[in-house]
Amino acid sequence: MPELKPWQQTRQHVGKLLRQLPEPSAPKILAGLKNPAKLKTWQLTAGAATVGIAIAAGAAAAAGPWDSSGQRTAERVLAASREAGGGTDHGRGTSGGQPAAAPSAPSVLKGLGVPAGAPHGGSAPALDTKALAGVLDPLLKDRALGPERSAVVIDAGSGRRVYGKGGGDALTPASTTKIATAVAALSSAGADHRITTKTVIEPDSDEVVLVGGGDPTLTARKDGPYAKSAASLRDLAKDTARALKDRGADKVSLSYDTSLYSGEQQHPIGPNENLTLVSALMVDEGRLDDSSGGPAPRSGDPAADAAEKFAGFLKDEGIDVEAKGKKGKGDAKDPVPSKASDRAESLAKVESPPLSALVERMLTHSDNDIAEALARQTALAAKEPASFDGAERAIAAQLKKARLPLAGTKFADGSGLDRADRSSAELLAALLARAADPDHPELRSAVTGLPVAGFTGTLVDRYPKESPGTGVVRAKTGTLTGVNTLAGTVVDTDGRLLVFAFMTTGTTDPKAAQTALDKMASAVAKCGCR
């Protein structure tokens, strides 16, 4: 069975204008940690109790308050300045709906523009690969890691591999597959791409068609963590009703169009509370409760459910709605599927947040529905069918174009729930190194979206406060029965940004395996290795 991860209700908290943020007050870093003195000054600034990343070889000097999740405001400013659109707050909001109190921080990022081959601007001594191996080799031998294991560590500043054991072996990646999905989607569709849901009306008729564009974050809710930032089905209904009234129409028939996607809707694992049917039209990821993440009961027909809700919202706006083919019955409960013609005229549309924000949400919370949607956006950008097979071809082609190591890989899905997926630690580390490279700002959200150890997403409960990796490691988790993976970034005690990927299969105690992987990442953080 797929992993059941710890999830939290979150509140989106986004500033109106990044550069109008107030100057930070005196530092109050690590307020929640027991022993802040154990971390060096650079860790409180560059690695930082709640983030642990210096973009690529560092980042331009910037200051800003920590936000509620521990995601650096400075990352957001930097990403925006690099036209990367990253750094969204995936915060741990309070029950009252306001962001939790957070400390502020001094300057947290160093200058970009470090010459190639001169990692960290020459401020850190060369890393001793033998010393790093002396730290990691014993940990990699932990029996909890199962019979198949591999590990790769890359110095992000130089691009040099500084540790590798079985790095080219293709193993089951589980949810770390989402890193490949993220990089492929950002590379092909673009970080600024938004997914459109629209309504059209057929000429010389009263037939309105709700056309799905593949946005799983489309919401029908008034309130909730993403109600203000996601595209709203309610807003679409209001705008559609206004357009209809401008045309003198107050009574229409309604159908819905999911033809953008093709192939099987059901994921190969079968019905599962970790994701809904893969459809071009759904609201709130087909969830049948008020959750915004994690396992939940799912709709058996998410497109039809979305159309029914839309019909109700139109009715609230004064539009009399009947299902297509049921004129005169006034039945707004069961619109039917159809396909909008090329001659259909536009009424209204809503757009998702940019792909960069969707990538961050997907990675932070290991969101399977977003992952499958992004795989199909990759397929569409490559002019492949928006299906499991089409997405697999498109992702592989995009990564091949980037000259990434693909030996033995298979992308059976975009989420990593399929055990047929294969990846190597070498590929996962290379993906993250590329995303951290200042020459690829369009990929930045594949790094800023990684969960922060002990603070956000799927790592919120994984690292104890006294761990040297807490707040310094940020990584994507991957867990299936017998499979445990961890891939991400860490800043070591000399200020180097290191990228790592640890994979293992055949584990029998998932908690022990996770602990062993976390110890490896923490060891990299703690090791100056010179």
Side-chain angles (χ1 to χ4, degrees), residues 16 39 91 93 126 210 264 335 377 399 423 450 476 491:
K16 291 182 179 180
L39 294 183
L210 174 62
E264 183 62 50
Q377 292 300 312
L399 300 186
S423 184
L450 295 172
K476 182 69 198 75
V491 183

Side-chain angles (χ1 to χ4, degrees), residues 75-76 119 121 142 247 273 300 310-311 377 438 454 480 483-484 527:
E75 282 185 356
R76 243 188 299 163
D142 192 321
R247 300 169 71 100
E273 290 193 341
F310 184 71
Q377 292 300 312
L480 297 170
V483 175
N484 295 91
C527 177

Side-chain angles (χ1 to χ4, degrees), residues 18-19 21 62-64 72-82 86-87:
L18 294 176
R19 290 176 175 78
L21 290 168
R72 275 188 306 231
T73 295
E75 282 185 356
R76 243 188 299 163
V77 174
L78 176 67
S81 71
R82 302 287 296 181

Side-chain angles (χ1 to χ4, degrees), residues 316-393:
D316 293 342
E317 297 298 323
I319 301 297
D320 187 5
V321 182
E322 56 190 21
K324 180 183 177 183
K326 296 193 176 184
K327 284 188 177 183
K329 295 185 179 180
D331 187 351
K333 294 183 179 180
D334 53 357
V336 298
S338 67
K339 185 176 183 345
S341 73
D342 293 338
R343 297 174 57 239
E345 301 170 18
S346 177
L347 290 173
K349 68 177 182 178
V350 290
E351 294 183 326
S352 73
L355 233 59
S356 57
L358 298 186
V359 162
E360 288 184 323
R361 179 174 167 183
M362 172 189 71
L363 293 174
T364 300
H365 301 296
S366 200
D367 192 299
N368 299 307
D369 298 286
I370 296 177
E372 297 301 345
L374 293 182
R376 278 150 187 76
Q377 292 300 312
T378 305
L380 291 168
K383 301 190 184 307
E384 290 276 3
S387 63
F388 283 103
D389 290 342
E392 178 176 9
R393 290 191 296 271

Side-chain angles (χ1 to χ4, degrees), residues 232-289:
S232 170
L233 192 69
R234 294 172 182 269
D235 289 347
L236 183 60
K238 289 179 181 178
D239 293 345
T240 300
R242 186 180 303 112
L244 288 169
K245 290 175 182 178
D246 288 345
R247 300 169 71 100
D250 59 7
K251 184 175 183 179
V252 297
S253 63
L254 178 65
S255 62
Y256 58 94
D257 183 351
T258 62
S259 63
L260 184 67
Y261 285 5
S262 60
E264 183 62 50
Q265 285 188 313
Q266 183 68 67
H267 190 281
I269 64 171
N272 190 282
E273 290 193 341
N274 283 276
L275 81 169
T276 193
L277 293 172
V278 184
S279 171
L281 177 63
M282 65 176 72
V283 289
D284 301 305
E285 300 183 333
R287 296 174 181 273
L288 299 179
D289 59 14

